[in-house]
Amino acid sequence: MARFRFAASAALVALSFHASQAMADEGMWTFDAFPTARMQQDHGWAPDARWLGRVQAAAVRLTGGCSASFVSPEGLILTNHHCIVECAQDNSTDQRDLLKDGFVPARREEELKCPGQQAEVVTAISDVTTRVKAAIGTSMGEALVKARDAEVARIEKEGCRNASIKRCEVVTLFGGGQYKLYTYRKYSDVRLAWAPQFQAAFFGGDPDNFNYPRYALDAAFLRAYENGRPVRTPAHLAWSSRGPKVGEATFVVGNPGSTQRLFTSDQIAFQREVGLPLTTTILSELRGRMISAMDKSPQQKREGADELFGIENSLKVYIGRQRALNDPVFLKMLSDAEADLKAKAMGKPGIGDPWADTAKAVQAYRDIYVPWRFIVPRSALMEQAMTLVQGAAEREKPNADRLPEFRDSNLELTTKTLLDEAPVYPWMEQLELEWSLSKAREYLGADDPDTRLLLGKDSPEALAERLVGGTSLADAAARKALWEGGSAVIAASTDPMIVYARRIEARERELKKLVDERYAGPLAQAGARLADARFMAYGNSVYPDATFTLRISYGKVQGWKERGQDVSPVTTIGGAFDRATGAEPFNLASGFAQSEAKIDKTLPFDFVTTNDIIGGNSGSPVIDREGSVIGAAFDGNVHSIGGNYGYQGDVNRTVVVSTAAITHALAVIYPAPALLKELGVQ
Amino acid sequence: MARFRFAASAALVALSFHASQAMADEGMWTFDAFPTARMQQDHGWAPDARWLGRVQAAAVRLTGGCSASFVSPEGLILTNHHCIVECAQDNSTDQRDLLKDGFVPARREEELKCPGQQAEVVTAISDVTTRVKAAIGTSMGEALVKARDAEVARIEKEGCRNASIKRCEVVTLFGGGQYKLYTYRKYSDVRLAWAPQFQAAFFGGDPDNFNYPRYALDAAFLRAYENGRPVRTPAHLAWSSRGPKVGEATFVVGNPGSTQRLFTSDQIAFQREVGLPLTTTILSELRGRMISAMDKSPQQKREGADELFGIENSLKVYIGRQRALNDPVFLKMLSDAEADLKAKAMGKPGIGDPWADTAKAVQAYRDIYVPWRFIVPRSALMEQAMTLVQGAAEREKPNADRLPEFRDSNLELTTKTLLDEAPVYPWMEQLELEWSLSKAREYLGADDPDTRLLLGKDSPEALAERLVGGTSLADAAARKALWEGGSAVIAASTDPMIVYARRIEARERELKKLVDERYAGPLAQAGARLADARFMAYGNSVYPDATFTLRISYGKVQGWKERGQDVSPVTTIGGAFDRATGAEPFNLASGFAQSEAKIDKTLPFDFVTTNDIIGGNSGSPVIDREGSVIGAAFDGNVHSIGGNYGYQGDVNRTVVVSTAAITHALAVIYPAPALLKELGVQ
């Protein structure tokens, strides 16, 4: 499969700029700036506004960090299996393991609610650049961040009067060059409608992640509900069960999470020299701790699976980025692009030297990075404790002054995420706390004031045990009481996790203030000028960096050359049987083995396209010229990882599970005749 | 403490060149080229030949990767506690934990044998450069390596007729600029004579490793035996129990393991771009796997302790190196030195352009590095199996054609290491095999031929379980039978670990051949010319890179400035009481706590000097102007890690446990009156 979804919390640096002039098939375009002429030129055809409008209306964003699409009039949603693993796990018991066995409900009434999941569809996009820039005015540093965030809060609140079904989000594009208000229709009751066995979806496991050829049925169906009934979705994509044709045009519509394609050379250097070495090192240790801990019992193995896959997926991304930034050829491509832009725009009126300002901000960030990174130890319960403690204080402030997650526009989702029932695994909480506390001490030093604040006289092990053993936050009712109780109840709480969150909160705020003042503020200021520089140099031929908002990419079904060898673009279902060794993770799912006689091994399984995507695009529909869905994107090849910094059209590939394979699975492997009918097959 | 000993197996790249002109106090000098004039100039005094000879005769090398010294006429050896941890662990039982409780024998008869340990004293050094260079002649690539190694084998064999008490080793200095024959008197019965509690030696644990101020009693005594009786050692250092004086001259005499101070920029780039990112990442995962696995039971915690400390110590070194090589200022210091040397010597007769040749060799190595690194999975049993399988074939060859470890000059030690009784922990064997097999697959790719060779159709977990569960190599008698049986017995063995070693052996040899042909051979050739370039440019003011052979460094007792703050050079025993938190690893050893009333807290504990040392120097005597020992070096500060590539005299410091503290411990904390008497202390 490959966790090609977007994990915002794991992002190294979320601030981002946009790419220079795009190459063929490069680009994660906004719907309002689709490069029709360019595609027309490259592919001899391009979609019109009506086509784009139809497709946009069927595109779904999942709050878990994935993309998806409506594929029936009754709220049926196609996405990746790896986007529903957490849901399947949350609904599993000792008696019924939905990951091991898959999930094929006999009737709709058996579809299972996914805790914390929400589906969102864009209904309007409007440009609010003038308003936000006016509010920023000439302010700098932390004041800039505050002025911007306050105006954003106001715009979002005005835009969404009915917060129970709408969500408003102001998105920063081009690193501050544009601000747009996205309005979403949201569905907060999302249920699992069909899932193959985990082993069918994840055949090849972590070793195959970001690799190709692949044989993974990384697909699943969800359904949006409202008032206990399936949502009506007349705007949906037609289902095509034909296989992909080599060379045909393909569109990927979804929410790429984050790219850093026009980081200045100083931002790149920070990642190469500081961010990535630290991240790959400490995350590898966490991976190792998880692997051995999961070895203790089948139960821990099951409970830890999703977390481990998330860690391994992130790690592969960071290792791949580190490799890209340690490749002198790749680095030169980036610095050549920067040199071209500088030559065209530096020193021009209104531009000045934003590169120097960025360099200064990055230099300042180097001093704050380590404490900022470690000040809140990692654990699900700790995150909830911080939400409770900060939320109590924030909700007493006027909307415009609050931290973004507590603004009226986000409060409902924050509340839902906090209060939804979801299992907590104390051993894993403790493991992650021990890990992050010991890493904090390692990188800050044993005698550092922040280490003393985090540990006091405790060891990481003793502290983690005390916090996890003593807290009642695992109980949703306890969280609800603290959330609704507000400041007084939080201040009076003796829950050790709350007491601890209170202990670190002030320092966390102080560090955030420093980051805003010296880094985020100056970068936003420089970013707007870098954006202007790019518009000046390249006009409209540019697209913004990814921001986990709706984009469209065009490309085609095409293989590539790997070390001189042609990689064929389409695999067959039979290939999975050939490749299976019997040993994890290359063991065939039992459903495949048992249905072998009925399976048509010549059918297409997975395929690759030249579409330009990135984490967050997981589950995105892959659409043909007719506007029908022919697959679900679930990964990129190994060359797609460097795509964070730049697109290499000759080798960067999107990996897709074909609707042909999904249809065949619905027919003979994990039979769901009602779904086939709903999809209009037969 | 800090594992400041030398782990050859963990060295990234062992080939090494020598430093350019040395700065004040810089240098790991050979005894035959001590820079008397320079020290005279810097310190107003320098030792004469007699002083140097006396000190050299008392210096001991431990085959475990440490340094040491004789400190009594009856074979008593001072070294670090962290150099005897393995011995203490091997001698511990469920009933008697020598790490937890320390070890203070009531009589000499109770001193405990250390499996696998051997003590060696240099008795002669002779220059064999002409002979080796003549044998190499004009050969290149693999042929050069073979010709050189064959001549080395001949020289070593001729030099040591009595292999049971002598050992001969030809050492490559200046990357091939010089070859010297070192002759050692060896003692293969080494026993533990005194050790404090582990917690006293390792106070501050991994967090304090490579840090200062420190409060660690990282000292222990061994004793050399022969024919069941203590060895007579008239050549030994006088014991001084006075504390260090700030500013006084200090000498460190020991065996620095490996430095890479004049790597060319291409060799540095390889480490920064490829070697270090890979190493820090995978070793961190192993660390994490060990931490969680040791959490399973107190027994595993005890059994895994030494291995984990070794891993964490290596990791800190590699992370520190990576940080140094990602520091633009440090990099510039290195490239300036290279530019200076090039300007003085490049293109001169006999020199040519060895930098270009090195670049080509490094480029070739980039393609072989990953398979070469992963072809032999990590585990103690696997290493024994490889020794058995390769040894059977090698011992049938003429001495000069054998791999170095099977030459007559090394065969005795190889045999001893293989056959000595030492406990094996199956869980740890399995853990390390699983780890290294899964990392091989990750970095080679699931479909790579080497991955297929390593795994077949197995998973790493199943294969590791089968190998460790089925082998009888943990039994020393079984190893003896296989070793003595030779080729026929090895070929007929059905022991799964032997079967596996047979399976990978040919590919390992093939890769070694490639490495020799494309990398090691060309580097040896270029290295000799780079050495000549340096002699041409800087004359005798240069010292060779470290090679785990005897060196002497001069310096003085001195603190440094850390972020503007003065770090005081000497700590007191009382400081340990102030710093103790009660929580691991900052809990006071029970011996300290119980003896508090008797302890003189004003006595010096640890101190720092400007001596230039590196891993392998662990246990080295720190000697004053009189030739008396005033401490045992056990670590460097954090700035010493970059010392692998270059010495920074303003901040690079050696960390030492004072004889004052050791004497006090012998008197009142872990009382050993007989030892005090033997040391000449009242």
Side-chain angles (χ1 to χ4, degrees):
Chain A
M1 74 167 195
R3 186 65 51 95
F4 215 50
R5 75 189 206 196
F6 177 54
S9 62
L12 269 179
V13 184
L15 295 149
S16 58
F17 299 129
H18 87 291
S20 68
Q21 209 149 9
M23 320 291 278
D25 292 0
E26 175 180 350
M28 302 170 181
W29 305 93
T30 54
F31 271 79
D32 58 1
F34 186 80
T36 308
R38 173 194 297 264
M39 182 176 176
Q40 182 79 45
Q41 190 184 318
D42 293 348
H43 289 257
W45 179 85
D48 59 16
R50 203 173 140 264
W51 189 103
L52 291 168
R54 263 201 305 136
V55 158
Q56 181 188 323
V60 172
R61 182 170 81 168
L62 298 172
T63 48
C66 281
S67 299
S69 57
F70 286 122
V71 289
S72 91
E74 297 174 276
L76 192 67
I77 295 170
L78 170 68
T79 189
N80 292 148
H81 183 276
H82 76 262
C83 298
I84 62 89
V85 164
E86 204 172 328
C87 176
Q89 193 169 302
D90 290 348
N91 282 293
S92 289
T93 60
D94 285 346
Q95 285 71 44
R96 189 194 193 195
D97 186 337
L98 302 186
L99 291 174
K100 187 163 166 283
D101 301 331
F103 176 63
V104 184
R107 294 163 302 140
R108 273 196 199 162
E109 291 68 36
E110 292 172 12
E111 293 178 349
L112 292 166
K113 207 161 171 172
C114 294
Q117 190 59 273
Q118 180 166 299
E120 301 169 343
V121 179
V122 175
T123 52
I125 301 173
S126 59
D127 196 316
V128 295
T129 308
T130 314
R131 254 187 89 169
V132 177
K133 284 196 169 176
I136 290 173
T138 57
S139 59
M140 306 277 281
E142 194 207 1
L144 182 159
V145 175
K146 281 196 161 168
R148 180 194 64 196
D149 289 355
E151 188 64 16
V152 162
R154 276 186 288 270
I155 294 170
E156 289 177 348
K157 177 148 194 175
E158 289 164 19
C160 282
R161 295 294 172 197
N162 186 351
S164 67
I165 59 164
K166 284 175 81 178
R167 183 171 173 206
C168 283
E169 190 179 15
V170 171
V171 180
T172 304
L173 298 173
F174 297 104
Q178 291 180 354
Y179 295 89
K180 295 205 175 173
L181 171 65
Y182 280 62
T183 309
Y184 294 90
R185 176 66 162 90
K186 72 181 191 190
Y187 304 98
S188 42
D189 178 356
V190 174
R191 303 188 192 175
L192 186 61
W194 180 85
Q197 291 173 288
F198 179 81
Q199 188 49 34
F202 198 49
F203 181 78
D206 175 68
D208 265 6
N209 196 3
F210 287 108
N211 285 320
Y212 192 82
R214 288 283 275 287
Y215 308 89
L217 188 65
D218 195 355
F221 290 101
L222 297 168
R223 193 184 300 280
Y225 280 75
E226 214 159 40
N227 304 318
R229 303 176 55 175
V231 169
R232 297 225 356 100
T233 46
H236 64 270
L237 299 176
W239 185 265
S240 165
S241 52
R242 72 168 175 85
K245 283 175 263 179
V246 176
E248 73 168 313
T250 50
F251 299 85
V252 174
V253 173
N255 302 274
S258 164
T259 52
Q260 306 171 323
R261 291 205 175 162
L262 257 159
F263 261 30
T264 70
S265 51
D266 289 283
Q267 292 174 293
I268 291 288
F270 174 79
Q271 295 222 356
R272 188 181 65 246
E273 292 165 7
V274 181
L276 288 169
L278 185 148
T279 303
T280 53
T281 301
I282 68 171
L283 212 54
S284 288
E285 184 186 321
L286 179 59
R287 177 191 198 177
R289 288 184 185 230
M290 284 291 293
I291 288 170
S292 283
M294 286 165 63
D295 213 27
K296 281 182 197 165
S297 71
Q299 187 189 338
Q300 291 200 6
K301 184 147 198 165
R302 198 179 63 234
E303 290 171 351
D306 190 48
E307 182 75 0
L308 177 62
F309 298 138
I311 292 164
E312 290 185 330
N313 187 65
S314 298
L315 198 49
K316 209 164 234 190
V317 168
Y318 294 127
I319 290 171
R321 288 186 189 176
Q322 188 170 29
R323 199 171 288 153
L325 295 191
N326 276 318
D327 173 357
V329 176
F330 190 83
L331 269 187
K332 184 159 186 318
M333 177 181 96
L334 301 183
S335 65
D336 285 352
E338 178 168 282
D340 185 66
L341 178 59
K342 276 184 170 176
K344 289 190 165 83
M346 191 161 82
K348 294 282 164 66
I351 307 292
D353 189 352
W355 292 272
D357 296 340
T358 303
K360 207 178 137 202
V362 169
Q363 190 55 43
Y365 191 52
R366 286 184 183 237
D367 295 332
I368 324 168
Y369 176 70
V370 173
W372 176 236
R373 166 127 196 173
F374 287 109
I375 195 64
V376 180
R378 172 174 170 143
S379 107
L381 291 170
M382 182 66 72
E383 201 179 317
Q384 293 176 332
M386 286 298 287
T387 300
L388 287 164
V389 169
Q390 291 205 316
E394 290 297 306
R395 283 177 298 154
E396 291 177 351
K397 299 177 183 173
N399 182 46
D401 294 351
R402 294 180 206 156
L403 292 171
E405 60 269 38
F406 301 106
R407 284 181 218 151
D408 289 337
S409 52
N410 291 325
L411 201 53
E412 188 128 347
L413 181 59
T414 300
T415 308
K416 175 180 164 62
T417 306
L418 176 70
L419 300 186
D420 266 8
E421 292 270 8
V424 167
Y425 308 115
W427 66 269
M428 200 157 80
E429 294 294 307
Q430 208 168 313
L431 185 153
E432 297 202 336
L433 279 177
E434 285 176 12
W435 166 78
S436 53
L437 289 165
S438 72
K439 293 308 97 183
R441 182 175 65 191
E442 181 173 329
Y443 283 84
L444 290 163
D447 300 318
D448 183 88
D450 284 321
T451 303
R452 291 212 186 103
L453 174 68
L454 286 167
L455 282 176
K457 292 211 156 198
D458 274 318
S459 67
E461 295 73 23
L463 178 59
E465 191 173 351
R466 189 159 59 73
L467 294 181
V468 176
T471 188
S472 55
L473 290 189
D475 173 11
R479 295 198 298 275
K480 190 157 193 271
L482 285 160
W483 180 248
E484 289 172 355
S487 285
V489 171
I490 291 290
S493 171
T494 57
D495 185 294
M497 202 68 91
I498 295 292
V499 172
Y500 190 83
R502 288 200 311 254
R503 169 164 136 195
I504 59 176
E505 194 216 358
R507 178 62 176 155
E508 197 271 346
R509 284 183 189 272
E510 184 180 38
L511 284 166
K512 181 177 185 320
K513 199 177 154 86
L514 272 176
V515 169
D516 284 348
E517 177 66 22
R518 298 187 193 165
Y519 181 62
L523 274 196
Q525 217 272 348
R529 285 184 296 137
L530 282 165
D532 289 344
R534 279 171 212 126
F535 295 138
M536 181 183 289
Y538 308 116
N540 280 330
S541 66
V542 293
Y543 56 92
D545 253 324
T547 48
F548 198 45
T549 51
L550 193 63
R551 304 293 176 87
I552 179 166
S553 144
Y554 67 87
K556 55 176 166 292
V557 177
Q558 191 174 59
W560 79 99
K561 257 197 176 19
E562 186 73 45
R563 297 181 207 168
Q565 302 286 310
D566 281 319
V567 179
S568 169
V570 185
T571 64
T572 63
I573 296 181
F577 289 85
D578 298 339
R579 195 150 182 267
T581 63
E584 268 189 28
F586 296 100
N587 50 325
L588 214 54
S590 60
F592 274 61
Q594 286 156 14
S595 314
E596 185 166 1
K598 286 179 280 179
I599 289 175
D600 179 352
K601 294 183 177 176
T602 66
L603 283 176
F605 200 160
D606 295 340
F607 62 100
V608 286
T609 72
T610 61
N611 292 83
D612 184 7
I613 70 171
I614 204 94
N617 269 117
S618 271
S620 293
V622 178
I623 301 170
D624 68 7
R625 186 172 156 157
E626 312 307 319
S628 302
V629 58
I630 62 167
F634 69 95
D635 202 2
N637 68 353
V638 70
H639 306 288
S640 74
I641 299 177
N644 184 58
Y645 307 108
Y647 175 81
Q648 297 175 289
D650 53 337
V651 291
N652 186 331
R653 292 293 176 271
T654 288
V655 184
V656 187
V657 53
S658 71
T659 47
I662 301 169
T663 306
H664 199 52
L666 289 168
V668 307
I669 308 174
Y670 306 102
L675 283 189
L676 278 179
K677 197 173 160 206
E678 187 176 347
L679 291 167
V681 181
Q682 284 298 356
Chain B
M1 75 167 189
R3 185 67 49 93
F4 215 49
R5 76 190 205 195
F6 177 53
S9 62
L12 268 181
V13 183
L15 295 148
S16 58
F17 299 129
H18 84 291
S20 68
Q21 211 151 8
M23 319 293 277
D25 294 0
E26 175 178 349
M28 302 169 182
W29 305 93
T30 54
F31 271 78
D32 57 1
F34 185 81
T36 309
R38 174 195 297 262
M39 184 178 175
Q40 183 80 44
Q41 192 185 317
D42 293 348
H43 290 257
W45 179 85
D48 59 16
R50 202 171 142 266
W51 189 103
L52 290 169
R54 264 200 305 136
V55 156
Q56 181 186 322
V60 172
R61 182 171 79 168
L62 298 173
T63 48
C66 280
S67 299
S69 58
F70 286 122
V71 290
S72 92
E74 298 175 276
L76 192 67
I77 295 170
L78 169 68
T79 189
N80 292 148
H81 183 278
H82 76 261
C83 298
I84 61 89
V85 164
E86 205 172 327
C87 176
Q89 193 170 303
D90 290 348
N91 280 293
S92 290
T93 60
D94 284 346
Q95 285 71 45
R96 188 192 194 197
D97 186 337
L98 303 186
L99 291 175
K100 186 164 167 282
D101 301 331
F103 176 63
V104 185
R107 294 163 303 141
R108 273 198 199 160
E109 292 67 37
E110 293 172 11
E111 292 177 351
L112 292 166
K113 205 162 171 172
C114 294
Q117 191 58 274
Q118 180 166 298
E120 301 169 342
V121 180
V122 175
T123 53
I125 301 173
S126 59
D127 196 317
V128 296
T129 308
T130 314
R131 254 188 89 171
V132 177
K133 283 195 171 177
I136 290 173
T138 57
S139 59
M140 307 277 281
E142 195 207 358
L144 183 159
V145 175
K146 282 195 161 168
R148 180 194 65 195
D149 290 355
E151 188 64 15
V152 162
R154 276 186 289 270
I155 295 170
E156 289 177 347
K157 176 149 197 174
E158 289 164 20
C160 281
R161 297 295 173 196
N162 186 351
S164 67
I165 61 164
K166 284 175 78 178
R167 183 172 173 202
C168 283
E169 189 179 16
V170 172
V171 180
T172 305
L173 297 173
F174 298 103
Q178 290 180 355
Y179 294 89
K180 296 205 174 175
L181 172 63
Y182 279 63
T183 309
Y184 295 89
R185 177 69 163 86
K186 70 180 193 192
Y187 304 98
S188 42
D189 178 355
V190 174
R191 304 189 192 175
L192 186 61
W194 180 85
Q197 292 173 286
F198 179 82
Q199 186 51 32
F202 198 49
F203 181 76
D206 175 68
D208 265 5
N209 196 1
F210 288 107
N211 284 321
Y212 192 82
R214 289 283 274 286
Y215 309 89
L217 188 66
D218 195 355
F221 291 100
L222 298 169
R223 193 185 300 280
Y225 279 74
E226 213 158 39
N227 306 317
R229 302 177 56 176
V231 169
R232 297 224 357 98
T233 46
H236 63 269
L237 299 176
W239 185 264
S240 165
S241 53
R242 72 166 175 87
K245 284 175 265 180
V246 177
E248 73 167 312
T250 50
F251 300 85
V252 174
V253 173
N255 302 275
S258 163
T259 51
Q260 306 171 323
R261 291 203 176 165
L262 257 158
F263 262 30
T264 69
S265 51
D266 289 284
Q267 292 175 293
I268 292 287
F270 174 79
Q271 294 222 357
R272 188 183 63 246
E273 292 165 6
V274 181
L276 289 169
L278 185 148
T279 303
T280 52
T281 301
I282 70 172
L283 211 54
S284 288
E285 185 186 320
L286 179 60
R287 176 192 200 176
R289 287 185 185 230
M290 285 291 294
I291 288 171
S292 284
M294 287 165 63
D295 212 28
K296 282 182 196 166
S297 72
Q299 187 189 336
Q300 292 201 4
K301 184 147 199 165
R302 197 178 66 234
E303 290 171 351
D306 191 47
E307 182 74 0
L308 177 62
F309 299 139
I311 293 165
E312 290 185 331
N313 187 66
S314 298
L315 198 50
K316 211 166 233 191
V317 169
Y318 293 128
I319 289 171
R321 288 186 189 176
Q322 189 170 29
R323 200 172 286 153
L325 295 191
N326 276 318
D327 173 358
V329 176
F330 190 83
L331 268 187
K332 183 160 186 320
M333 176 181 98
L334 301 182
S335 65
D336 285 351
E338 178 168 282
D340 185 66
L341 178 59
K342 276 185 169 176
K344 290 190 166 82
M346 192 161 83
K348 294 280 163 66
I351 307 292
D353 189 354
W355 293 272
D357 297 340
T358 303
K360 206 178 138 203
V362 170
Q363 189 56 43
Y365 191 52
R366 286 184 183 236
D367 295 333
I368 323 168
Y369 176 69
V370 172
W372 177 236
R373 166 125 198 176
F374 288 109
I375 194 65
V376 181
R378 170 174 172 143
S379 106
L381 291 170
M382 181 66 71
E383 200 179 317
Q384 293 175 333
M386 286 299 288
T387 301
L388 287 165
V389 169
Q390 291 206 315
E394 290 296 306
R395 283 177 298 155
E396 291 177 351
K397 299 178 183 172
N399 183 45
D401 294 349
R402 295 179 206 157
L403 293 171
E405 59 270 38
F406 301 107
R407 285 181 217 151
D408 289 337
S409 51
N410 292 326
L411 201 52
E412 189 127 348
L413 181 59
T414 300
T415 308
K416 176 180 163 62
T417 307
L418 177 70
L419 300 186
D420 266 9
E421 292 270 6
V424 166
Y425 309 113
W427 66 269
M428 200 157 80
E429 293 293 309
Q430 208 168 313
L431 184 153
E432 295 201 337
L433 280 176
E434 285 176 12
W435 167 76
S436 53
L437 289 165
S438 72
K439 292 308 96 183
R441 183 176 64 191
E442 180 172 330
Y443 281 84
L444 291 163
D447 300 318
D448 183 88
D450 284 321
T451 303
R452 291 212 187 104
L453 174 68
L454 286 167
L455 281 176
K457 292 213 156 197
D458 274 320
S459 68
E461 295 74 22
L463 178 59
E465 190 172 353
R466 189 159 60 74
L467 294 180
V468 176
T471 188
S472 55
L473 292 188
D475 174 11
R479 294 198 298 273
K480 192 157 191 272
L482 285 160
W483 180 248
E484 290 172 354
S487 284
V489 171
I490 290 291
S493 171
T494 57
D495 186 294
M497 201 69 89
I498 295 291
V499 172
Y500 190 83
R502 288 201 311 255
R503 170 164 135 195
I504 59 176
E505 192 216 0
R507 176 63 177 154
E508 197 272 345
R509 284 185 189 272
E510 184 180 37
L511 284 167
K512 182 179 183 324
K513 201 177 153 86
L514 272 178
V515 168
D516 284 348
E517 177 67 22
R518 298 188 193 165
Y519 179 63
L523 274 195
Q525 217 272 348
R529 286 185 294 137
L530 282 166
D532 290 343
R534 278 168 212 129
F535 295 138
M536 182 182 289
Y538 309 116
N540 281 329
S541 68
V542 293
Y543 57 91
D545 253 324
T547 49
F548 198 46
T549 50
L550 194 64
R551 304 293 176 88
I552 178 165
S553 144
Y554 67 86
K556 55 177 168 293
V557 178
Q558 191 175 59
W560 79 99
K561 258 196 174 20
E562 186 73 44
R563 295 181 209 169
Q565 301 286 310
D566 281 319
V567 180
S568 171
V570 185
T571 63
T572 63
I573 297 182
F577 289 85
D578 297 339
R579 194 149 182 270
T581 62
E584 265 188 30
F586 296 100
N587 50 324
L588 215 53
S590 61
F592 274 61
Q594 286 156 14
S595 314
E596 184 166 2
K598 288 179 280 181
I599 289 174
D600 178 352
K601 293 184 179 176
T602 66
L603 284 175
F605 199 159
D606 296 339
F607 62 99
V608 287
T609 72
T610 61
N611 292 82
D612 184 8
I613 70 170
I614 204 95
N617 269 116
S618 270
S620 294
V622 178
I623 301 169
D624 67 8
R625 187 170 155 159
E626 313 306 320
S628 302
V629 57
I630 61 166
F634 69 95
D635 201 4
N637 69 354
V638 69
H639 306 289
S640 75
I641 299 177
N644 184 58
Y645 307 107
Y647 175 81
Q648 298 175 288
D650 53 338
V651 291
N652 186 332
R653 292 294 176 272
T654 288
V655 183
V656 188
V657 54
S658 71
T659 47
I662 301 169
T663 307
H664 198 52
L666 289 167
V668 307
I669 308 175
Y670 306 102
L675 283 189
L676 277 178
K677 198 173 160 206
E678 186 176 348
L679 291 167
V681 181
Q682 279 308 332

